[in-house]
């Protein structure tokens, strides 16, 4: 059972930064998805892939994974760069 730990990204559809300080422990899929012959929906028998655990810090998520013997990989948060630009720069 393996998992990945990452920080929740900012929602691209909104300008707010709510819930971006949370860290997520998400289990990886252990079996491939397959199409249902009747409805055409994709699914699998892996219920762990539906689980997302939220933590307030990276250390808490890593401690949880080590306590329960989960092989977890931590994905680093990319640095945020701001491009400071004035509206008048569009017309240069």
């Amino acid at each position: 059972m393996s998992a990945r730990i990452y920080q929740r990204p900012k929602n691209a559809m909104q300008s707010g930064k709510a819930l971006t300080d949370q860290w997520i422990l998400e289990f990886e899929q252990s079996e491939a998805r397959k199409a249902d012959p009747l409805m055409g929906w994709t699914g699998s028998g892996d219920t762990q892939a539906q689980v997302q655990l939220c933590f307030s810090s990276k250390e808490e998520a890593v401690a949880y994974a080590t306590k329960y013997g989960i092989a977890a990989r931590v994905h680093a948060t990319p640095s945020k760069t701001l491009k400071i630009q004035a509206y008048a720069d569009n017309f240069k």
Side-chain angles (χ1 to χ4, degrees):
M1 180 166 50
S2 62
R4 65 185 187 121
I5 298 173
Y6 62 95
Q7 192 170 15
R8 187 185 299 262
K10 182 180 137 342
N11 187 352
M13 302 302 289
Q14 298 177 349
S15 61
K17 296 179 182 174
L19 304 176
T20 57
D21 56 343
Q22 289 185 347
W23 286 82
I24 308 296
L25 185 139
E26 185 175 65
F27 293 98
E28 295 177 355
Q29 289 187 345
S30 61
E31 84 180 41
R33 292 180 171 259
K34 54 186 176 275
D36 182 41
L38 179 64
M39 298 297 289
W41 297 340
T42 58
S44 69
D46 182 24
T47 58
Q48 288 287 351
Q50 301 173 8
V51 177
Q52 275 191 351
L53 300 174
C54 300
F55 298 94
S56 59
S57 70
K58 177 175 68 170
E59 290 78 20
E60 288 181 14
V62 171
Y64 180 87
T66 56
K67 179 180 177 183
Y68 291 103
I70 301 168
R73 294 177 301 156
V74 178
H75 294 274
T77 305
S79 62
K80 297 174 182 142
T81 57
L82 295 176
K83 181 180 176 186
I84 306 299
Q85 182 178 357
Y87 179 70
D89 293 341
N90 293 331
F91 304 103
K92 284 187 177 180

